[in-house]
Amino acid sequence: MKQTKVAIIGGGVTGVSMLSHLVHDERFTSGITVDIYDNAYTMGRGQAYQEDNEHLLINVPADEMSLGESHPDYKSWLKPENGQELYTSRQQFGDYVKDQLETIASTHEEVHLRYAKVDGIEYDSSSGKFTLSIDEEEVLYDRVFLTIGQLRYGDPYNLKGSQGFLYDPYPLSRKLADIEDDNIGILGAGLSAIDCVRYLILDKQVKKVSLFSRSGDMPSVRGERAEIILRHFTEESLRDRIQNDEIALTDIIALFKEELAHQNIDESLFFRRTGNTLQDLNYDLEHQETVGRLQYLIIKVNPIFSDVYQYLSRNDKKAFLEKYHHLIEENHSPMPAEVARLLVQWGDEGRLHIIDGTEHIKKEDGFTILTKEGGEYRVDTLINATGPVKDVRRGDSEIIQSLMNHMIIAPSEFGGIMVDASRHVISPKVGTVRGMYALGALTIGSDYLSNSVQLLQKNAQKLINRFYEDIY
């Protein structure tokens, strides 16, 4: 095999997973050299697991998170004193991932950690080579993996730059450290908003926090763990229904309903929301067995569904996202029960207010939030916890903008960029780029709910297998 020079752009969980599968594959040789690029602050951590406050808990138990069989599992690495279900901080998991990355680099002389920013990439289709611009230097590569993390935060009300508006709250321990007032609003009701609430009340001792969102819906509460053995919604059943590279949404829904019935899960659990967020959290806390069974079914089928998601027609994908996605998403990444109990307690004490129906925000001596029901609320400080954008055209990453400018990548209407079934990048100028692969935030339009560590691991392994098939 000829010498192959590989660049991995992004040193978060996706990039480290890719690197791990690459070097631990039996086909890896000294003829393959790998440079992984990120800045010193996020190398081995990414944005999601950067150094931050200890109260920012991962919403997945420690024993369900790992970097794969080639590494110590996360819970063993932590060395807990007993076998209780353990939720850890994001920073702790970042410590684990960074430790594994440094171990790979120290034991493989072919791997180099490059603490530098990739400013641009050019592609020569005739040679199949990539030229990366790094700190005014140009470096040539044979293969490139785009494992760039989340895109920039959204700004749905165009408030960026306004005094008192915190556009991107992370890391909370730095961005929110100087907040002193007790008239604080948070935009959003998802996991990022919950992070902000916990930090402000537990660390800053803020007396009152208000959450503003369009729906007011928070993630569900993680129920009891359930062992799920699939009978109907299986990889084989779904693959059998793919014809002409398409699968019908009606077939997927039918199989899923059969599985629900087989698992003795009532479909009405998907519609248990009442519109009263604290009441809904209480329901989940009081029905942890039944709610947990639904959640662990969704977790079990997600990798299977993600594999066939790309085979939905455009209309079926739009229909799924409009009709069913929110029902799946509510139960896919549930919060720990201990977090929910505190939120309910703070709600009962009047320290947490959740206001839905946000329609418009006026900036005038603070912020005035107007709701569809005619409500009007004023806050002095407004924290943006709406999450990252999905449209790469709205991102501010120089490397993404450079790739689009050179027409090496193209945006997908469902988020991220266009890739083929093997996660090769699709260029509007030259077609499929066989030497460039993408995974993570850039493939959300093809990989359904693929941001969990477990699913990233599986997809990284598949992608690395494709890499070796391509170069041999």
Side-chain angles (χ1 to χ4, degrees):
M1 184 197 76
K2 66 178 182 178
Q3 293 285 318
T4 302
K5 193 170 182 180
V6 177
I8 298 176
I9 303 175
V13 171
T14 308
V16 176
S17 298
M18 205 74 71
L19 175 65
S20 176
H21 285 295
L22 195 155
V23 301
H24 291 119
D25 192 287
E26 61 183 10
R27 292 165 287 187
F28 183 72
T29 72
S30 58
I32 301 173
T33 58
V34 188
D35 293 341
I36 182 166
Y37 288 93
D38 210 329
N39 63 58
Y41 190 74
T42 54
M43 178 74 84
R45 297 179 176 278
Q47 292 293 329
Y49 304 107
Q50 60 187 300
E51 295 180 356
D52 209 334
N53 186 267
E54 62 182 6
H55 290 127
L56 309 189
L57 296 183
I58 300 172
N59 60 326
V60 179
D63 59 355
E64 294 182 25
M65 301 189 71
S66 177
L67 279 179
E69 296 178 357
S70 300
H71 302 273
D73 67 81
Y74 179 44
K75 191 168 183 179
S76 297
W77 182 86
L78 287 165
K79 298 180 177 62
E81 295 181 0
N82 54 55
Q84 86 277 12
E85 189 167 63
L86 181 66
Y87 290 90
T88 63
S89 71
R90 294 186 187 180
Q91 176 172 320
Q92 282 176 290
F93 187 71
D95 292 342
Y96 163 73
V97 177
K98 185 175 182 179
D99 181 56
Q100 303 313 302
L101 171 62
E102 291 174 348
T103 298
I104 292 173
S106 65
T107 54
H108 294 82
E109 61 182 13
E110 304 88 355
V111 174
H112 312 106
L113 308 186
R114 302 297 190 194
Y115 300 97
K117 179 182 177 183
V118 179
D119 299 310
I121 301 178
E122 294 185 12
Y123 174 60
D124 183 348
S125 60
S126 61
S127 66
K129 304 280 188 180
F130 301 87
T131 301
L132 273 61
S133 300
I134 303 137
D135 295 336
E136 299 183 356
E137 178 186 3
E138 293 188 342
V139 185
L140 204 62
Y141 288 93
D142 302 293
R143 306 279 163 169
V144 172
F145 291 90
L146 297 176
T147 56
I148 298 164
Q150 66 184 32
L151 301 175
R152 71 173 178 85
Y153 257 54
D155 184 17
Y157 301 98
N158 298 312
L159 297 171
K160 187 176 181 180
S162 300
Q163 184 175 356
F165 181 67
L166 298 177
Y167 164 67
D168 180 351
Y170 292 101
L172 304 189
S173 57
R174 180 163 56 87
K175 298 285 188 69
L176 307 189
D178 296 330
I179 288 181
E180 299 295 340
D181 67 77
D182 283 315
N183 190 19
I184 301 171
I186 298 173
L187 277 180
L191 295 173
S192 295
I194 294 170
D195 278 349
C196 295
V197 170
R198 285 172 57 80
Y199 175 78
L200 289 169
I201 293 181
L202 292 173
D203 268 66
K204 299 293 292 180
Q205 302 297 312
V206 170
K207 294 179 181 178
K208 186 185 78 170
V209 179
S210 299
L211 288 183
F212 300 96
S213 71
R214 292 191 172 103
S215 69
D217 290 338
M218 283 186 169
S220 60
V221 183
R222 186 173 292 267
E224 293 179 11
R225 190 174 310 201
E227 294 298 326
I228 302 292
I229 299 175
L230 299 176
R231 179 174 179 179
H232 301 284
F233 201 94
T234 64
E235 184 176 350
E236 294 76 16
S237 298
L238 287 163
R239 289 284 173 185
D240 286 345
R241 286 162 173 76
I242 296 176
Q243 296 183 359
N244 300 319
D245 287 331
E246 281 195 7
I247 187 169
L249 179 59
T250 52
D251 286 348
I252 291 174
I253 298 301
L255 282 174
F256 187 68
K257 288 188 174 183
E258 286 184 56
E259 194 64 58
L260 284 172
H262 174 70
Q263 301 294 341
N264 196 28
I265 298 172
D266 195 320
E267 288 182 40
S268 65
L269 274 176
F270 278 110
F271 307 98
R272 64 188 186 277
R273 297 293 177 96
T274 64
N276 183 318
T277 304
L278 297 179
Q279 183 177 316
D280 293 339
L281 294 180
N282 263 324
Y283 178 92
D284 285 3
L285 288 168
E286 293 169 2
H287 298 82
Q288 289 195 290
E289 182 180 355
T290 53
V291 169
R293 193 156 185 83
L294 171 64
Q295 292 166 345
Y296 276 90
L297 172 63
I298 289 172
I299 291 169
K300 186 79 172 183
V301 304
N302 187 42
I304 302 169
F305 177 55
S306 183
D307 278 347
V308 299
Y309 182 66
Q310 60 193 305
Y311 294 105
L312 288 172
S313 69
R314 181 171 179 269
N315 287 341
D316 272 359
K317 188 175 283 191
K318 289 174 68 175
F320 171 79
L321 292 173
E322 291 171 3
K323 296 179 182 179
Y324 303 107
H325 169 66
H326 70 284
L327 301 174
I328 301 298
E329 188 177 39
E330 286 169 2
N331 295 283
H332 179 266
S333 298
M335 72 179 82
E338 63 185 85
V339 172
R341 291 190 185 97
L342 273 178
L343 294 176
V344 172
Q345 175 187 325
W346 292 333
D348 291 341
E349 294 171 350
R351 300 185 71 184
L352 174 62
H353 297 264
I354 302 171
I355 300 103
D356 61 10
T358 300
E359 190 170 55
H360 182 62
I361 298 176
K362 294 191 295 186
K363 175 68 179 80
E364 45 184 31
D365 188 27
F367 302 89
T368 301
I369 296 93
L370 306 175
T371 70
K372 292 179 181 178
E373 301 298 322
E376 188 170 317
Y377 306 86
R378 188 192 170 283
V379 296
D380 296 318
T381 301
L382 191 59
I383 300 168
N384 184 25
T386 57
V389 298
K390 296 180 180 180
D391 187 345
V392 294
R393 292 168 297 188
R394 295 171 57 197
D396 55 3
S397 165
E398 289 183 20
I399 183 63
I400 294 300
Q401 298 305 317
S402 172
L403 287 166
M404 284 195 294
N405 180 51
H406 291 291
M407 299 183 70
I408 299 173
I409 65 172
S412 164
E413 67 174 297
F414 298 103
I417 64 174
M418 293 184 66
V419 293
D420 69 7
S422 298
R423 305 304 176 264
H424 295 107
V425 167
I426 297 176
S427 162
K429 182 165 61 177
V430 299
T432 303
V433 183
R434 293 288 173 185
M436 178 176 277
Y437 314 81
L439 189 65
L442 292 181
T443 59
I444 57 174
S446 300
D447 298 318
Y448 182 68
L449 290 179
S450 60
N451 58 343
S452 71
V453 173
Q454 299 95 322
L455 192 48
L456 282 173
Q457 280 295 313
K458 292 179 180 179
N459 286 337
Q461 187 171 22
K462 292 176 184 176
L463 200 155
I464 290 301
N465 186 59
R466 170 57 63 186
F467 162 79
Y468 280 112
E469 290 174 354
D470 287 346
I471 67 171
Y472 280 109

